């Protein structure tokens, strides 16, 4: 009997060893996951009680699956970021579910990153999609432009908490299906023009019945064969706009537009526009001056991916990811498609998605909102992606479209290249799973870390507060031209032997408006030490030098206050 007992004892010991190893491995994973906790979700505890409503009732209608948007912007001029959330509703005109608040909501920041609802403020009640923010009338207050399925709204801010919808009087109440929008001074005349992206020439009368594995679901945009024309409105300087879409050349190309980014991609001092289209080729509108544009997406290599495929372009990020002095593009796409990282090579883009770690691993989810931001302040852009399917059983008891969001840490892979590595669990301690859409970025509590506001379809939003314990040092600039945020300007600083560039980039991500402050993570640069040779390249191409500044503070850079520079 000793043999079998000994065998059993040995087997039990072996099992115990294996079990202990598994427990230790799990503990190590848990410790790694805890160490990788970058954000804490704090929307409700900080006063944001919004809940998005798509309006789905019985029959799936396409607009229900692609909203909604958000803005982090200072609407009351007190120096901190307020939160604006776009509501959808019922696209078929039916009655919204009882208890669901109609209209968009504005939450004012109390100064400590906690919010209070300003009842009735800026509460457009159209079927909302996205929002753009900017001082279009140059009165010192941030105004809001809300895109809808149907007439858009221009909400003029009087500075006292009162917003008036002046879209019709101003000539910008476009009645299509608006998605992304951006205020930009395209003609460098001192006021903000308006670019509006449209998705599909859609109405209830053309809606289709589509199915997924036998169940009703939302149709693909190509089902309708109704791509839409985007719009360009010139600011006339008197509170009104003129539709210059045809004269500017924008009418030459159509698409199923969802995302956009405005930046000076070719370095000529004029702000250009990239439009991400859903299953149709993208557009790169290069600014020729005098409000004339030419679509150079095919010539520049960003109309399709490197395999010649027009992907389901949704969210867009534009930034100098590889720190070589020009603005790159990142477009996120549908489940099964890779991200598209277009590296700016100075006259054309190279699809370098695989090279930066966004090849095969990026296919798993359907990505909408994105944030290219330096969350850990190490000097390199990190990447957050808001995910949620578009193909699923609309009648399922659980949200069939919900997916976890993703976070990638950006780092240098060589002196002039970057790479992205996944952060476990999307950077949160407890996995968050919803159908996420728009993402807005900014430092909500003023602690030097970039936070995010994420909109979730048919659910409350996330307010993701930056909780990285070992963040690097930082410096932040508000760049002003005649008292207005200088959208399209570029700030650069010397970090060691390298010059690093950041754009005043507000309109990116998906259906969102971001903080206009330019944020530099400085890594191990000591707080209070000097950040050297700060420069601003203004729209139009003029460069001013502002000398050295101390890290760990927020500074204003006003046009005319620096020294002219030949750089």
């Amino acid at each position: 009997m000793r043999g079998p007992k000994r065998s059993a004892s040995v087997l039990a010991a072996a099992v115990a060893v294996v079990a202990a190893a598994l427990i230790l491995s799990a503990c190590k994973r848990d410790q790694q996951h805890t160490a990788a906790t970058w954000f804490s979700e704090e929307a409700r505890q900080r006063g944001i009680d919004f809940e998005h409503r798509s309006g789905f009732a019985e029959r799936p209608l396409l607009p229900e699956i692609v909203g909604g948007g958000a803005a982090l912007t200072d609407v009351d001029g007190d120096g901190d970021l307020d939160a604006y959330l776009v509501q959808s509703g019922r696209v078929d005109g039916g009655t919204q579910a009882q208890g669901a608040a109609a209209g968009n909501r504005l939450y004012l920041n109390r100064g400590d990153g906690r919010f209070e609802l300003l009842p009735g403020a800026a509460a457009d009640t159209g079927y909302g999609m996205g929002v753009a923010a900017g001082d279009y009338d140059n009165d010192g207050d941030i105004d809001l432009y809300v895109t809808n399925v149907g007439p858009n709204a221009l909400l003029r801010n009087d500075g006292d908490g009162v917003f008036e919808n002046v879209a019709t009087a101003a000539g910008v109440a476009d009645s299509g299906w608006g998605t992304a929008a951006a205020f930009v001074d395209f003609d460098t005349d001192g006021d903000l023009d308006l670019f509006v992206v449209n998705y599909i020439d859609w109405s209830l009368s053309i809606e289709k019945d589509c199915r997924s594995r036998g169940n009703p679901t939302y149709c693909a945009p190509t089902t309708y064969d109704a791509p839409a024309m985007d719009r360009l409105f010139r600011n006339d300087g008197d509170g009104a706009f003129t539709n210059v879409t045809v004269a500017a050349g924008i009418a030459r190309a159509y698409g199923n537009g969802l995302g956009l980014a405005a930046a000076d991609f070719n370095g000529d001092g004029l702000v250009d526009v990239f439009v991400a289209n859903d299953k149709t080729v993208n557009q790169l509108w290069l600014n020729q001056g005098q409000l004339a544009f030419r679509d150079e997406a095919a010539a520049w290599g960003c109309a399709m991916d490197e395999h010649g495929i027009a992907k389901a372009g949704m969210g867009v990020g534009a930034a100098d990811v590889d720190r070589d002095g020009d603005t790159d593009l990142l477009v996120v796409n549908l489940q099964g498609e890779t991200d598209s990282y277009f590296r700016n090579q100075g006259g054309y883009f190279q699809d370098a998605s695989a090279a930066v770690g966004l090849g095969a691993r990026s296919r798993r989810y359907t990505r909408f909102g994105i944030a290219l931001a330096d969350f850990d302040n190490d000097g390199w852009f990190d990447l957050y992606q808001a995910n949620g399917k578009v193909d699923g059983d609309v009648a399922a008891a659980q949200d069939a479209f919900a997916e976890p969001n993703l976070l990638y840490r950006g780092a240098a892979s060589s002196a002039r290249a970057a790479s992205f590595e996944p952060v476990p669990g999307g950077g949160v301690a407890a996995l968050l799973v919803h159908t996420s859409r728009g993402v807005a970025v900014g430092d909500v509590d003023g602690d030097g870390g970039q936070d995010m506001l994420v909109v979730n379809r048919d659910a409350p939003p996330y307010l993701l507060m930056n909780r990285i314990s070992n963040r690097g040092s930082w410096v932040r600039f508000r760049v002003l031209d005649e008292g207005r945020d200088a959208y399209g300007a570029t700030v650069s600083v010397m970090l060691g032997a390298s010059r690093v560039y950041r754009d005043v980039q507000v309109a990116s991500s998906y259906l969102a408006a971001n903080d206009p402050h330019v944020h530099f993570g400085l890594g191990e640069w000591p707080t209070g030490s000097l950040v050297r040779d700060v420069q601003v390249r203004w729209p139009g191409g003029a460069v001013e030098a502002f000398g050295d500044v101390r890290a760990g503070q927020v500074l204003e850079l006003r046009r005319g206050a620096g020294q002219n520079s030949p750089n």
Side-chain angles (χ1 to χ4, degrees):
M1 297 293 292
R2 288 182 178 180
K5 284 184 178 180
R6 181 181 297 174
S7 299
S9 176
V10 170
L11 179 60
V15 170
V17 169
V18 171
L22 290 173
I23 292 171
L24 179 60
S25 176
C27 288
K28 287 181 178 179
R29 289 197 303 271
D30 288 343
Q31 289 169 359
Q32 291 169 353
H33 191 246
T34 300
T37 298
W38 288 33
F39 300 101
S40 170
E41 198 293 290
E42 301 178 14
R44 185 164 291 276
Q45 71 190 70
R46 288 181 174 266
I48 296 179
D49 58 355
F50 177 85
E51 189 160 343
H52 178 265
R53 287 286 180 262
S54 69
F56 168 73
E58 297 176 355
R59 178 190 181 194
L61 304 173
L62 186 60
E64 297 165 353
I65 196 60
V66 293
L72 285 174
T73 187
D74 184 6
V75 300
D76 56 0
D78 64 353
D80 50 37
L81 294 175
D82 308 304
Y84 187 76
L85 289 141
V86 179
Q87 185 61 277
S88 293
R90 283 292 295 270
V91 72
D92 60 359
T95 302
Q96 184 59 279
Q98 185 176 3
N104 307 336
R105 286 193 169 192
L106 173 62
Y107 296 85
L108 297 184
N109 193 328
R110 300 188 320 193
D112 59 356
R114 299 181 185 277
F115 296 85
E116 292 180 355
L117 175 67
L118 189 60
D124 177 57
T125 56
Y127 191 91
M129 285 282 131
V131 58
D135 181 10
Y136 84 91
D137 53 1
N138 284 342
D139 67 350
D141 303 312
I142 296 294
D143 310 295
L144 301 171
Y145 185 79
V146 179
T147 57
N148 292 316
V149 180
N152 298 333
L154 176 61
L155 303 175
R156 184 172 62 82
N157 183 355
D158 73 352
D160 293 320
V162 177
F163 291 79
E164 180 185 4
N165 185 1
V166 297
T168 299
V172 293
D174 188 56
S175 59
W177 177 351
T179 50
F183 284 112
V184 178
D185 186 4
F186 290 112
D187 52 3
T188 66
D189 66 348
D191 49 37
L192 294 174
D193 310 301
L194 177 63
F195 195 99
V196 180
V197 175
N198 284 314
Y199 188 39
I200 291 172
D201 284 329
W202 181 91
S203 67
L204 284 169
S205 64
I206 71 164
E207 187 56 89
K208 310 289 185 181
D209 291 322
C210 296
R211 301 205 163 243
S212 172
R213 292 173 288 279
N215 299 308
T217 194
Y218 296 99
C219 299
T222 50
T223 304
Y224 306 90
D225 193 22
M229 183 194 302
D230 301 331
R231 300 283 190 269
L232 176 60
F233 297 96
R234 182 191 68 219
N235 192 328
D236 297 331
D238 58 0
F241 293 78
T242 297
N243 187 340
V244 295
T245 304
V246 175
I250 303 300
R252 296 194 186 104
Y254 291 63
N256 301 324
L258 286 176
L260 94 164
D264 181 6
F265 294 108
N266 59 357
D268 65 354
L270 299 172
V271 181
D272 313 302
V273 179
F274 175 85
V275 178
N277 287 309
D278 188 359
K279 290 299 185 183
T280 49
V281 295
N282 303 320
Q283 288 130 19
L284 177 65
W285 295 108
L286 293 186
N287 191 338
Q288 309 299 302
Q290 304 299 314
L291 285 179
F293 291 80
R294 187 168 62 233
D295 181 14
E296 295 286 346
W300 274 59
C302 58
M304 298 173 282
D305 73 1
E306 62 184 340
H307 304 294
I309 297 172
K311 293 178 178 175
M314 297 170 191
V316 184
D320 184 12
V321 174
D322 56 359
R323 298 190 1 180
D324 67 349
D326 47 32
T327 303
D328 310 303
L329 279 166
L330 177 62
V331 186
V332 293
N333 303 294
L334 190 70
Q335 182 182 34
E337 300 175 342
T338 66
D339 293 334
S340 295
Y341 169 59
F342 295 114
R343 176 180 287 148
N344 193 330
Q345 301 285 47
Y348 68 96
F349 288 105
Q350 175 192 11
D351 189 335
S353 307
V356 296
L358 297 175
R361 67 158 59 117
S362 67
R363 297 174 181 268
R364 184 173 180 183
Y365 301 119
T366 293
R367 293 87 66 201
F368 275 83
I370 71 169
L372 277 172
D374 186 0
F375 295 115
D376 57 359
N377 289 346
D378 69 346
W380 294 90
F381 283 103
D382 308 302
L383 171 63
Y384 184 85
Q385 298 182 335
N387 303 326
K389 293 189 291 187
V390 294
D391 181 17
D393 182 3
V394 295
Q398 300 294 323
D399 185 353
F401 304 92
E403 294 180 321
N405 297 341
L406 297 178
L407 175 65
Y408 296 87
R409 180 179 181 271
S413 59
S414 65
R416 285 293 187 185
S419 63
F420 294 100
E421 290 294 331
V423 176
V428 291
L431 197 64
L432 299 172
V433 184
H434 285 92
T435 304
S436 298
R437 295 298 183 243
V439 178
V441 182
D443 184 358
V444 166
D445 55 359
D447 68 348
Q450 298 282 73
D451 311 303
M452 288 182 288
L453 180 62
V454 182
V455 181
N456 297 311
R457 175 183 181 264
D458 287 332
Y462 306 145
L463 181 62
L464 299 179
M465 303 301 295
N466 192 321
R467 295 291 179 255
I468 301 173
S469 59
N470 58 343
R471 286 197 309 255
S473 185
W474 57 277
V475 67
R476 185 175 299 136
F477 302 101
R478 188 174 184 194
V479 189
L480 299 172
D481 186 355
E482 299 294 333
R484 173 175 50 77
D485 292 299
Y487 296 170
T490 300
V491 183
S492 64
V493 303
M494 290 299 297
L495 293 183
S498 300
R499 180 162 290 278
V500 179
Y501 298 81
R502 299 284 188 269
D503 294 334
V504 182
Q505 174 64 256
V506 177
S508 62
S509 182
Y510 177 75
L511 307 181
N514 304 301
D515 179 10
H517 285 84
V518 177
H519 180 92
F520 287 87
L522 305 176
E524 296 180 359
W525 217 267
T527 297
S529 63
L530 287 180
V531 179
R532 300 196 178 277
D533 195 15
V534 178
Q535 296 186 9
V536 177
R537 186 171 188 260
W538 302 99
V543 177
E544 277 187 274
F546 289 83
D548 302 340
V549 303
R550 295 202 176 277
Q553 59 180 326
V554 180
L555 298 167
E556 288 188 353
L557 304 177
R558 292 182 175 270
R559 189 163 194 168
Q563 299 293 321
N564 291 333
S565 172
N567 293 343

